[in-house]
Amino acid sequence: MAMAGLYRRVLPSPPAIDFASTEGKKLFVEAIQGGTMVGFFKLISYFQTQSEPAYCGLASLAMVLNALSIDPGRKWKGPWRWFDESMLDCCEPLEKVKSKGISFGKVVCLAHCAGAKVKAFRSNHSTIDDFRKYVMDCSASEDCHVISSYHRGTFEQTGEGHFSPIGGYHAGKDMALILDVARFKYPPHWVPLTLLWEAMNTLDKSSGHHRGFMLISRLQRAPALLYTLSCKHESWASTAKYLVEDVPVLLGLEDVEDVNSVLSVVFKSLPSNFAEFIKWIAEVRRQEDGGQSLSQEEKGRLAVKEEVLKQVQELNLYKHVTNFLSSKSSCCQGMKSLSSEESLPSIAANICCQGAELMEGKCRSSVAFSCSETGLKCIKANGDNSVTVISGKVVSGNDEQQVDVLVPSSQTEACCSGSCPSSYKVLYPTSNDVLTALLLALPPETWSGIKNEKLLEEMCSLVSTENHPTLLQEEVLHLRGQLLVLKRCKDNKVEEELGAPIY
């Protein structure tokens, strides 16, 4: 029986020049000598082929994020944290991308959600001279990369809209190197920059907007040090709407008299699955990978998380939230999924199962994981202070794994080596500090509807980040940025609003 299929395409040349051709190699050497191929080596080290015909935007972004050494903060497969197309589903369901592709604005949104610094420009809001300058600057640096959204037809190639990173620039010939992520179709190739601009200066019929380019670089600090917002659960859109739109209206309608009544208004109507929306981040590892000590990298990450936790727990707002959660007024519909008395073993058992699932590369699979036992212990952080570790035995069918959870904690008493005595108290992340962090992350205008001027002044003082330590300020601003990006996605405004959220 006959089977139809395609094996690559012949690259139309001109206008393009195959990177591996004699002329392409000559351009490469000359560009290196000109200093505009610096970024190429990072990109080529992480060059990947899109895994689906419509995944060009996802593959381009994953490639650039990995080239910039941005930590996704979650496992890909095995113990490895790594950006893969399958993890870039924050702003658009993967099944939809697989069937219809992805728009320029949604790729920008994904880059923001992934923790990158993004500057995006549509061709009708930029100029070819600006584009050339950005390409030259990024090609001469390892710290910035350009992703271009263009129409293939301009290069006499088959297909329509496409995304790919720009790997370098030849100043003498005014040519850009496109690292085409559809490597099953076309190889990397040089194109005249003027023609690339023409290919970008086209209308994407699906969105009704012009194509363009984006500059991706690292933020000054790692995103989501301890807390993060999640859009994995289907209720994320209603939760984002409630927090940004509904809460200010409710506060304006209610006659709130004190901080406790303000918290009651905010929390009493929380969507039922609110607990899935904001998470604290725990690090997991196989016991055999870690032994009885922490690596310098693990030690550093855990120390930062613990400092953020400590700073949150020292806030006056945290004390108000703690008192509210322990009061009768917190017993309302929106608080059913939250508790100020979460059990560390139960939390750890859940995290151990998640960790085992991720390390097996079975995220969101139908395979059942259960934690048969957990234990609290302390291990040395390379000879310094002890840290809290939850050990769990995770069972799946006939298989079992020993998993460690590194718990960010505030320790109130010294811990002996090897195990923790019963008098040892661990103040680990709970709803108290998670909700405190979320309140801090709400837009400042959230509280403007409070009629009592003295109470309004008190609330603004409690949630103000102005006098907070830099580490906590950055954590709060990251959460606020995530919230505003998710709200932008929910409102379908990612095509109109390309810039980073204004805090």
PDB file of all heavy atoms in Angstrom, residues 54-79:
ATOM      1  N   ALA A  54       2.716  22.692  14.234  1.00  0.00           N
ATOM      2  CA  ALA A  54       2.255  24.027  14.609  1.00  0.00           C
ATOM      3  C   ALA A  54       2.907  24.550  15.885  1.00  0.00           C
ATOM      4  O   ALA A  54       2.451  25.538  16.455  1.00  0.00           O
ATOM      5  CB  ALA A  54       0.728  24.024  14.771  1.00  0.00           C
ATOM      6  N   TYR A  55       3.986  23.901  16.336  1.00  0.00           N
ATOM      7  CA  TYR A  55       4.629  24.282  17.590  1.00  0.00           C
ATOM      8  C   TYR A  55       5.824  25.214  17.389  1.00  0.00           C
ATOM      9  O   TYR A  55       6.679  25.316  18.274  1.00  0.00           O
ATOM     10  CB  TYR A  55       5.118  23.035  18.333  1.00  0.00           C
ATOM     11  CG  TYR A  55       4.099  22.394  19.249  1.00  0.00           C
ATOM     12  CD1 TYR A  55       2.754  22.734  19.195  1.00  0.00           C
ATOM     13  CD2 TYR A  55       4.488  21.430  20.180  1.00  0.00           C
ATOM     14  CE1 TYR A  55       1.823  22.131  20.020  1.00  0.00           C
ATOM     15  CE2 TYR A  55       3.566  20.816  21.024  1.00  0.00           C
ATOM     16  CZ  TYR A  55       2.236  21.177  20.945  1.00  0.00           C
ATOM     17  OH  TYR A  55       1.334  20.576  21.779  1.00  0.00           O
ATOM     18  N   CYS A  56       5.898  25.928  16.278  1.00  0.00           N
ATOM     19  CA  CYS A  56       7.078  26.764  16.032  1.00  0.00           C
ATOM     20  C   CYS A  56       7.263  27.838  17.096  1.00  0.00           C
ATOM     21  O   CYS A  56       8.381  28.118  17.537  1.00  0.00           O
ATOM     22  CB  CYS A  56       7.023  27.391  14.648  1.00  0.00           C
ATOM     23  SG  CYS A  56       5.526  28.357  14.310  1.00  0.00           S
ATOM     24  N   GLY A  57       6.158  28.442  17.566  1.00  0.00           N
ATOM     25  CA  GLY A  57       6.259  29.465  18.600  1.00  0.00           C
ATOM     26  C   GLY A  57       6.739  28.896  19.920  1.00  0.00           C
ATOM     27  O   GLY A  57       7.593  29.482  20.593  1.00  0.00           O
ATOM     28  N   LEU A  58       6.212  27.724  20.285  1.00  0.00           N
ATOM     29  CA  LEU A  58       6.600  27.084  21.540  1.00  0.00           C
ATOM     30  C   LEU A  58       8.055  26.634  21.492  1.00  0.00           C
ATOM     31  O   LEU A  58       8.804  26.801  22.460  1.00  0.00           O
ATOM     32  CB  LEU A  58       5.694  25.889  21.832  1.00  0.00           C
ATOM     33  CG  LEU A  58       4.186  26.156  21.914  1.00  0.00           C
ATOM     34  CD1 LEU A  58       3.446  24.899  22.357  1.00  0.00           C
ATOM     35  CD2 LEU A  58       3.881  27.302  22.868  1.00  0.00           C
ATOM     36  N   ALA A  59       8.466  26.024  20.364  1.00  0.00           N
ATOM     37  CA  ALA A  59       9.845  25.545  20.235  1.00  0.00           C
ATOM     38  C   ALA A  59      10.832  26.703  20.272  1.00  0.00           C
ATOM     39  O   ALA A  59      11.894  26.619  20.904  1.00  0.00           O
ATOM     40  CB  ALA A  59      10.008  24.757  18.940  1.00  0.00           C
ATOM     41  N   SER A  60      10.499  27.804  19.596  1.00  0.00           N
ATOM     42  CA  SER A  60      11.383  28.978  19.586  1.00  0.00           C
ATOM     43  C   SER A  60      11.566  29.521  21.000  1.00  0.00           C
ATOM     44  O   SER A  60      12.681  29.848  21.415  1.00  0.00           O
ATOM     45  CB  SER A  60      10.806  30.073  18.679  1.00  0.00           C
ATOM     46  OG  SER A  60      10.723  29.642  17.333  1.00  0.00           O
ATOM     47  N   LEU A  61      10.457  29.610  21.737  1.00  0.00           N
ATOM     48  CA  LEU A  61      10.530  30.161  23.091  1.00  0.00           C
ATOM     49  C   LEU A  61      11.284  29.219  24.019  1.00  0.00           C
ATOM     50  O   LEU A  61      12.133  29.668  24.803  1.00  0.00           O
ATOM     51  CB  LEU A  61       9.122  30.426  23.621  1.00  0.00           C
ATOM     52  CG  LEU A  61       9.044  31.063  25.007  1.00  0.00           C
ATOM     53  CD1 LEU A  61       9.824  32.373  25.062  1.00  0.00           C
ATOM     54  CD2 LEU A  61       7.588  31.295  25.411  1.00  0.00           C
ATOM     55  N   ALA A  62      10.995  27.917  23.955  1.00  0.00           N
ATOM     56  CA  ALA A  62      11.705  26.953  24.809  1.00  0.00           C
ATOM     57  C   ALA A  62      13.204  27.008  24.553  1.00  0.00           C
ATOM     58  O   ALA A  62      14.018  26.977  25.484  1.00  0.00           O
ATOM     59  CB  ALA A  62      11.171  25.544  24.568  1.00  0.00           C
ATOM     60  N   MET A  63      13.572  27.098  23.292  1.00  0.00           N
ATOM     61  CA  MET A  63      14.988  27.159  22.909  1.00  0.00           C
ATOM     62  C   MET A  63      15.667  28.392  23.508  1.00  0.00           C
ATOM     63  O   MET A  63      16.765  28.309  24.091  1.00  0.00           O
ATOM     64  CB  MET A  63      15.066  27.185  21.386  1.00  0.00           C
ATOM     65  CG  MET A  63      16.443  27.342  20.789  1.00  0.00           C
ATOM     66  SD  MET A  63      16.291  27.285  18.987  1.00  0.00           S
ATOM     67  CE  MET A  63      17.849  28.018  18.509  1.00  0.00           C
ATOM     68  N   VAL A  64      15.013  29.542  23.416  1.00  0.00           N
ATOM     69  CA  VAL A  64      15.595  30.788  23.925  1.00  0.00           C
ATOM     70  C   VAL A  64      15.651  30.780  25.452  1.00  0.00           C
ATOM     71  O   VAL A  64      16.651  31.203  26.061  1.00  0.00           O
ATOM     72  CB  VAL A  64      14.792  31.996  23.402  1.00  0.00           C
ATOM     73  CG1 VAL A  64      15.152  33.264  24.163  1.00  0.00           C
ATOM     74  CG2 VAL A  64      15.056  32.198  21.907  1.00  0.00           C
ATOM     75  N   LEU A  65      14.593  30.306  26.108  1.00  0.00           N
ATOM     76  CA  LEU A  65      14.583  30.252  27.577  1.00  0.00           C
ATOM     77  C   LEU A  65      15.709  29.368  28.096  1.00  0.00           C
ATOM     78  O   LEU A  65      16.384  29.705  29.075  1.00  0.00           O
ATOM     79  CB  LEU A  65      13.236  29.732  28.064  1.00  0.00           C
ATOM     80  CG  LEU A  65      12.023  30.640  27.822  1.00  0.00           C
ATOM     81  CD1 LEU A  65      10.733  29.908  28.178  1.00  0.00           C
ATOM     82  CD2 LEU A  65      12.132  31.935  28.617  1.00  0.00           C
ATOM     83  N   ASN A  66      15.927  28.229  27.440  1.00  0.00           N
ATOM     84  CA  ASN A  66      17.020  27.340  27.854  1.00  0.00           C
ATOM     85  C   ASN A  66      18.380  27.965  27.571  1.00  0.00           C
ATOM     86  O   ASN A  66      19.320  27.815  28.350  1.00  0.00           O
ATOM     87  CB  ASN A  66      16.888  25.990  27.148  1.00  0.00           C
ATOM     88  CG  ASN A  66      15.734  25.163  27.691  1.00  0.00           C
ATOM     89  OD1 ASN A  66      15.434  25.200  28.877  1.00  0.00           O
ATOM     90  ND2 ASN A  66      15.072  24.420  26.817  1.00  0.00           N
ATOM     91  N   ALA A  67      18.497  28.666  26.450  1.00  0.00           N
ATOM     92  CA  ALA A  67      19.761  29.330  26.116  1.00  0.00           C
ATOM     93  C   ALA A  67      20.114  30.408  27.141  1.00  0.00           C
ATOM     94  O   ALA A  67      21.285  30.672  27.401  1.00  0.00           O
ATOM     95  CB  ALA A  67      19.687  29.939  24.715  1.00  0.00           C
ATOM     96  N   LEU A  68      19.084  31.025  27.725  1.00  0.00           N
ATOM     97  CA  LEU A  68      19.297  32.073  28.731  1.00  0.00           C
ATOM     98  C   LEU A  68      19.459  31.500  30.134  1.00  0.00           C
ATOM     99  O   LEU A  68      19.634  32.241  31.099  1.00  0.00           O
ATOM    100  CB  LEU A  68      18.115  33.047  28.723  1.00  0.00           C
ATOM    101  CG  LEU A  68      18.008  33.964  27.503  1.00  0.00           C
ATOM    102  CD1 LEU A  68      16.651  34.660  27.471  1.00  0.00           C
ATOM    103  CD2 LEU A  68      19.131  34.987  27.481  1.00  0.00           C
ATOM    104  N   SER A  69      19.410  30.158  30.248  1.00  0.00           N
ATOM    105  CA  SER A  69      19.542  29.476  31.544  1.00  0.00           C
ATOM    106  C   SER A  69      18.498  29.945  32.548  1.00  0.00           C
ATOM    107  O   SER A  69      18.794  30.152  33.728  1.00  0.00           O
ATOM    108  CB  SER A  69      20.952  29.670  32.124  1.00  0.00           C
ATOM    109  OG  SER A  69      21.926  29.143  31.260  1.00  0.00           O
ATOM    110  N   ILE A  70      17.274  30.131  32.085  1.00  0.00           N
ATOM    111  CA  ILE A  70      16.170  30.473  32.974  1.00  0.00           C
ATOM    112  C   ILE A  70      15.610  29.179  33.557  1.00  0.00           C
ATOM    113  O   ILE A  70      15.253  28.261  32.825  1.00  0.00           O
ATOM    114  CB  ILE A  70      15.077  31.259  32.228  1.00  0.00           C
ATOM    115  CG1 ILE A  70      15.626  32.627  31.796  1.00  0.00           C
ATOM    116  CG2 ILE A  70      13.833  31.429  33.091  1.00  0.00           C
ATOM    117  CD1 ILE A  70      14.667  33.464  30.980  1.00  0.00           C
ATOM    118  N   ASP A  71      15.562  29.103  34.858  1.00  0.00           N
ATOM    119  CA  ASP A  71      15.092  27.901  35.550  1.00  0.00           C
ATOM    120  C   ASP A  71      13.571  27.891  35.560  1.00  0.00           C
ATOM    121  O   ASP A  71      12.946  28.811  36.088  1.00  0.00           O
ATOM    122  CB  ASP A  71      15.627  27.901  36.988  1.00  0.00           C
ATOM    123  CG  ASP A  71      15.364  26.606  37.736  1.00  0.00           C
ATOM    124  OD1 ASP A  71      14.447  25.855  37.333  1.00  0.00           O
ATOM    125  OD2 ASP A  71      16.067  26.345  38.724  1.00  0.00           O
ATOM    126  N   PRO A  72      12.927  26.859  34.976  1.00  0.00           N
ATOM    127  CA  PRO A  72      11.461  26.828  34.959  1.00  0.00           C
ATOM    128  C   PRO A  72      10.844  26.598  36.326  1.00  0.00           C
ATOM    129  O   PRO A  72       9.649  26.788  36.510  1.00  0.00           O
ATOM    130  CB  PRO A  72      11.140  25.663  34.011  1.00  0.00           C
ATOM    131  CG  PRO A  72      12.339  24.798  34.050  1.00  0.00           C
ATOM    132  CD  PRO A  72      13.515  25.719  34.251  1.00  0.00           C
ATOM    133  N   GLY A  73      11.666  26.148  37.298  1.00  0.00           N
ATOM    134  CA  GLY A  73      11.147  25.937  38.638  1.00  0.00           C
ATOM    135  C   GLY A  73      10.343  24.670  38.806  1.00  0.00           C
ATOM    136  O   GLY A  73       9.791  24.406  39.871  1.00  0.00           O
ATOM    137  N   ARG A  74      10.222  23.857  37.766  1.00  0.00           N
ATOM    138  CA  ARG A  74       9.523  22.571  37.863  1.00  0.00           C
ATOM    139  C   ARG A  74      10.197  21.563  36.954  1.00  0.00           C
ATOM    140  O   ARG A  74      10.874  21.927  35.983  1.00  0.00           O
ATOM    141  CB  ARG A  74       8.042  22.712  37.535  1.00  0.00           C
ATOM    142  CG  ARG A  74       7.716  23.291  36.164  1.00  0.00           C
ATOM    143  CD  ARG A  74       6.219  23.524  36.048  1.00  0.00           C
ATOM    144  NE  ARG A  74       5.855  24.178  34.801  1.00  0.00           N
ATOM    145  CZ  ARG A  74       5.012  23.680  33.917  1.00  0.00           C
ATOM    146  NH1 ARG A  74       4.441  22.514  34.133  1.00  0.00           N
ATOM    147  NH2 ARG A  74       4.714  24.338  32.818  1.00  0.00           N
ATOM    148  N   LYS A  75       9.985  20.316  37.284  1.00  0.00           N
ATOM    149  CA  LYS A  75      10.668  19.255  36.551  1.00  0.00           C
ATOM    150  C   LYS A  75      10.073  19.065  35.153  1.00  0.00           C
ATOM    151  O   LYS A  75       8.897  19.280  34.922  1.00  0.00           O
ATOM    152  CB  LYS A  75      10.561  17.933  37.324  1.00  0.00           C
ATOM    153  CG  LYS A  75      11.152  17.960  38.716  1.00  0.00           C
ATOM    154  CD  LYS A  75      12.657  18.045  38.689  1.00  0.00           C
ATOM    155  CE  LYS A  75      13.269  17.714  40.035  1.00  0.00           C
ATOM    156  NZ  LYS A  75      12.836  18.529  41.137  1.00  0.00           N
ATOM    157  N   TRP A  76      10.930  18.638  34.237  1.00  0.00           N
ATOM    158  CA  TRP A  76      10.504  18.246  32.898  1.00  0.00           C
ATOM    159  C   TRP A  76      10.347  16.728  32.867  1.00  0.00           C
ATOM    160  O   TRP A  76       9.261  16.191  32.865  1.00  0.00           O
ATOM    161  CB  TRP A  76      11.522  18.740  31.866  1.00  0.00           C
ATOM    162  CG  TRP A  76      11.464  18.061  30.532  1.00  0.00           C
ATOM    163  CD1 TRP A  76      10.391  18.005  29.692  1.00  0.00           C
ATOM    164  CD2 TRP A  76      12.525  17.347  29.883  1.00  0.00           C
ATOM    165  NE1 TRP A  76      10.705  17.292  28.559  1.00  0.00           N
ATOM    166  CE2 TRP A  76      12.015  16.884  28.653  1.00  0.00           C
ATOM    167  CE3 TRP A  76      13.842  17.075  30.225  1.00  0.00           C
ATOM    168  CZ2 TRP A  76      12.804  16.143  27.773  1.00  0.00           C
ATOM    169  CZ3 TRP A  76      14.617  16.353  29.338  1.00  0.00           C
ATOM    170  CH2 TRP A  76      14.095  15.890  28.134  1.00  0.00           C
ATOM    171  N   LYS A  77      11.452  15.995  32.923  1.00  0.00           N
ATOM    172  CA  LYS A  77      11.440  14.545  33.014  1.00  0.00           C
ATOM    173  C   LYS A  77      12.586  14.117  33.920  1.00  0.00           C
ATOM    174  O   LYS A  77      13.605  14.797  33.997  1.00  0.00           O
ATOM    175  CB  LYS A  77      11.603  13.899  31.634  1.00  0.00           C
ATOM    176  CG  LYS A  77      10.395  14.085  30.725  1.00  0.00           C
ATOM    177  CD  LYS A  77      10.583  13.365  29.399  1.00  0.00           C
ATOM    178  CE  LYS A  77       9.373  13.570  28.502  1.00  0.00           C
ATOM    179  NZ  LYS A  77       9.519  12.883  27.190  1.00  0.00           N
ATOM    180  N   GLY A  78      12.401  12.953  34.557  1.00  0.00           N
ATOM    181  CA  GLY A  78      13.408  12.532  35.522  1.00  0.00           C
ATOM    182  C   GLY A  78      13.565  13.623  36.563  1.00  0.00           C
ATOM    183  O   GLY A  78      12.592  14.260  36.967  1.00  0.00           O
ATOM    184  N   PRO A  79      14.778  13.910  37.005  1.00  0.00           N
ATOM    185  CA  PRO A  79      14.973  14.966  38.007  1.00  0.00           C
ATOM    186  C   PRO A  79      15.215  16.333  37.378  1.00  0.00           C
ATOM    187  O   PRO A  79      15.503  17.291  38.084  1.00  0.00           O
ATOM    188  CB  PRO A  79      16.227  14.484  38.748  1.00  0.00           C
ATOM    189  CG  PRO A  79      17.024  13.783  37.696  1.00  0.00           C
ATOM    190  CD  PRO A  79      16.019  13.121  36.786  1.00  0.00           C
TER     191      PRO A  79
END
